[in-house]
Every structure is written in C-alpha cells, then in structure tokens.
Amino acid sequence: MVRDDGYGELGKRFEEYLLAGIPALKKAGYNPIAFLGMIKTTGGVSTAKKLLASAGDTSYGFAKLWEKQKLDASVEFAVCLPWFRELFTEEELGRAEFRLTEHHFDLARVHTVPVPDWCAAPPTPEPPRAAGRPAAAPTYRQRVEAEEAAQRARPATSTALTTDVVRSTVFRSLVLQRAGGRCENPGCGHPGFHVIGRNEMPIVEVDHVHGLKEGGPDHPANMVVLCPNCHAVKTRGQDTEVAELRKLLAGISRQRHEAAMAGA
C-alpha cells in the first residue's frame, strides 16, 4: 500500500514507481530489504531525500545496482525523471545526476522512459523530434546556463557553504563529466590517471583553480579535476611551483569550459 508522506499525489506516484521496479530487482538477484523498510517507514520521497542527503559515498543499494548494471532502477534515476524533478531541490537533483554520471551512466536514458498515462503532458516543453528518437539530454551549455540562472534566484544561504559561497553540485558534476574522471594536469606524473575507489567512483578531486576563499568563482571555468597527488602539489607545494601550476590550470579550465560550451 502506497503511503502519503506529505508530498501529495505526485509523491504517491513516485513511490509507486519505486515499488514497481522491485520485482525486476529480485529477479536480477538483489532483494532491497532495507530500502523497502525505509519506504514503509517514511515513504518514497522522504526515502529518496534521505539517500541523497549525503554528498559523499553512494549507498550500498546503489553500489549493488551498479554491479548488476541496473542503475536505471536506482533512486537517483527515478529522481532525474522529468515528471518527478519538482519533488526535489536543485541540490538533490545535482547529487543524483553526479552519482549517475560518476558511474558512467548516460543521463540521456531518462528521456527514453515513456511518459506515464497519468502525466497529461511532458512537464517541460520539448522541441519536436523524429518518431522513435529519444529527446536529447541537456547539453553542457544548457546545464551551465540553467544552473547560473538557478544560482541567481537562489537565496544567499545554503546547507552547502564554504565561507559565504555556495558550492554547486551541478557544476561539480559537469566538470567531472568534462574531464572523464581523469586528472587534467598535463604535467601529471601519471598521465591519464584514472583509479576507481572502493565506492566505485574515480579517486580524483574537483578543485577551484582560484580558491573560493580568495574570491575565485564557483564556476566550471574556474574548476579542474586533479588526481590526489596533483591536488596536494597545488594545495601544499612550494610557492613558485603552486603559482606556475595555477597559471597552467587556469588556462586549461578556461579552454575546456569554452570548448564544452561551444559543443566541441
């Protein structure tokens, strides 16, 4: 029985969607007992929000779905579906997208799910497309511009703060995608550094070339992906070495951002 956890009819539809996918998971060899218990206790939307509350490691269930190549059955995938997005904050949506893309999942697949019968029309207008072709996923430029607009409309305070600057999980996700999860320092001692950690995510850092505390913007044009060693050099290296590395990375971050904005 679907419960009402305070999110209205759409919240009930979201919970129904989650529960409808359970039989397929069991058939694939994964019985999400703890997940079902959470839904029973707090409801589908509240469960999703709890699982998205941490910006850190993914859940055990997400890891199991990744192992079985079933991330399209994850809470993160359900959250990203166009007709459910309004139930979640920009920060929650950013975390869901980040986890999926970090595990090399194609976000365009959310646009291949048929619009449910109860949804009278697509939640957002879509340009006409050829029959049988899925809607294209938002481009890098579209996502950057949407997040810039959201930041302008967002209150000055947030739960994710560095001094007085809001860190965007959307921008972090875009930069990781742009870099393919690899170190962007051309002088890296391990070219193409790409190591997967215990949580099945690349062991890299998204760093601001010019730090937020120094007035640098939280924007992809000022962000790069670095391996742990290069990040340590930039953060704790000798002054001359740090200055040279920052100058190099500043050019790289701008060039790669401009190329991605142009669709190159």
Side-chain angles (χ1 to χ4, degrees), residues 142-235:
Q142 288 170 334
R143 293 187 66 196
V144 167
E145 291 176 345
E147 178 63 6
E148 288 173 339
Q151 285 190 345
R152 289 192 293 270
R154 190 176 296 151
T157 57
S158 172
T159 56
L161 294 175
T162 298
T163 62
D164 294 322
V165 183
V166 178
R167 288 177 181 259
S168 168
T169 56
V170 174
F171 284 160
R172 187 177 190 278
S173 172
L174 286 171
V175 173
L176 278 163
Q177 269 188 280
R178 190 182 73 193
R182 288 171 165 77
C183 182
E184 295 186 283
N185 177 16
C188 180
H190 303 278
F193 180 95
H194 190 252
V195 176
I196 301 297
R198 285 176 297 184
N199 61 354
E200 308 300 339
M201 297 171 69
I203 302 177
V204 290
E205 305 287 344
V206 176
D207 190 60
H208 295 85
V209 178
H210 299 290
L212 301 183
K213 292 181 180 180
E214 301 166 357
D218 185 50
H219 191 274
N222 183 47
M223 298 164 73
V224 290
V225 173
L226 298 174
C227 70
N229 187 66
C230 290
H231 184 250
V233 171
K234 178 183 174 297
T235 305

